[in-house]
Amino acid sequence: MATDLHELLRSLRVWDPEVTTLPAFDPAGAPAAPLELFTTWFAQAVAAGQTEPHTMSLATADPEGRPDVRTVMLHGADADGFAFASHAHSRKGGHLAARPYAALGFYWPVLGRQVRVRGPVTAAPSGEGQADLHARSTGALAAALTGRQSEVLGSLDELARASEQSWDRAQREPTAPVPSWTLYRLAPEEVEFFQGDERRQHVRLAYRRTDGGWERQLLWP
């Protein structure tokens, strides 16, 4: 029997109280800058058992302005911005070369929380990107060494052969260079924190960077 997508969608519950605890969020007590609040929320998501809380949606646009989105991993967040990595020749790398601006989206359903970030993106010096890569797992290095991200693949057998070769090299050479591997940093201009509410009285707190620092505003849900 074929699946009825609409029936399946209607059967799903949002923030099921059996598995989700929606904490209170008083924006009056939020810090003056968003990084401190992001760090607190991230730590709370980890403590609550959120699966892979460091994954995020990354939205970019191609040279014609057509949007694209994918899930990537957060490599760090500090005063310099939110860091992620990719090959410079990948689709996202090409987008960022043409339009160096992006948006990030974090969703932690175990707490009913979202964080949205927008801002310009810059590439870190090559040495920083290589250091970041070599600090990660053997699998991460092997995947980077395979190197043909976003190119057309002839077959899964071709991928298996290339992957095996990359794994062998990554194990033999844990500091093997991958010149195309690039660490990107998004410098936030806007950061929004969303706290879900069972009665749909969601709390949205937006930070916007100004010449004088960060400005905070509440938004209607």
Side-chain angles (χ1 to χ4, degrees):
M1 180 182 295
T3 299
D4 185 324
L5 177 60
H6 296 287
E7 182 177 346
L8 181 60
L9 287 169
R10 287 192 294 270
S11 72
L12 299 175
R13 302 177 67 183
V14 177
W15 302 323
D16 187 339
E18 294 183 4
V19 296
T20 306
T21 300
L22 298 179
F25 172 47
D26 181 4
L35 181 59
E36 181 181 346
L37 183 55
F38 176 83
T39 302
T40 297
W41 276 27
F42 185 86
Q44 290 173 348
V46 172
Q50 177 62 57
T51 302
E52 299 180 350
H54 56 322
T55 57
M56 59 188 183
S57 298
L58 167 66
T60 58
D62 68 15
E64 288 73 42
R66 296 172 298 185
D68 204 349
V69 67
R70 75 288 286 163
T71 301
V72 300
M73 184 182 297
L74 177 69
H75 285 213
D78 54 27
D80 294 325
F82 290 74
F84 58 93
S86 182
H87 289 284
H89 57 70
S90 67
R91 178 177 293 183
K92 68 180 81 66
H95 288 183
L96 292 170
R99 291 174 175 264
Y101 200 92
L104 307 175
F106 296 86
Y107 180 42
W108 301 316
V110 70
L111 295 173
R113 286 176 170 172
Q114 298 182 58
V115 181
R116 301 167 61 206
V117 188
R118 294 202 303 173
V121 177
T122 57
S126 177
E128 290 187 36
Q130 297 301 298
D132 176 79
L133 174 61
H134 295 141
R136 311 192 76 78
S137 67
T138 300
L141 176 58
L145 285 168
T146 302
R148 299 177 63 181
Q149 189 174 40
S150 300
E151 295 182 16
V152 175
L153 174 66
S155 70
L156 293 181
D157 287 340
E158 182 182 357
L159 172 61
R161 290 192 298 271
S163 179
E164 184 174 354
Q165 292 171 358
S166 296
W167 270 91
D168 288 344
R169 186 181 177 195
Q171 290 171 330
R172 293 194 317 269
E173 302 177 50
T175 59
V178 184
S180 62
W181 191 253
T182 305
L183 183 68
Y184 294 97
R185 288 193 177 95
L186 185 155
E189 294 180 338
E190 301 177 28
V191 185
E192 180 191 320
F193 295 85
F194 172 103
Q195 174 61 66
D197 178 82
E198 293 179 358
R199 300 187 65 183
R200 302 304 189 264
Q201 295 177 14
H202 312 309
V203 178
R204 296 176 63 189
L205 175 64
Y207 288 78
R208 289 183 174 83
R209 191 188 293 274
T210 68
D211 292 340
W214 288 99
E215 175 186 87
R216 292 181 294 176
Q217 294 177 324
L218 292 174
L219 303 177
W220 280 89

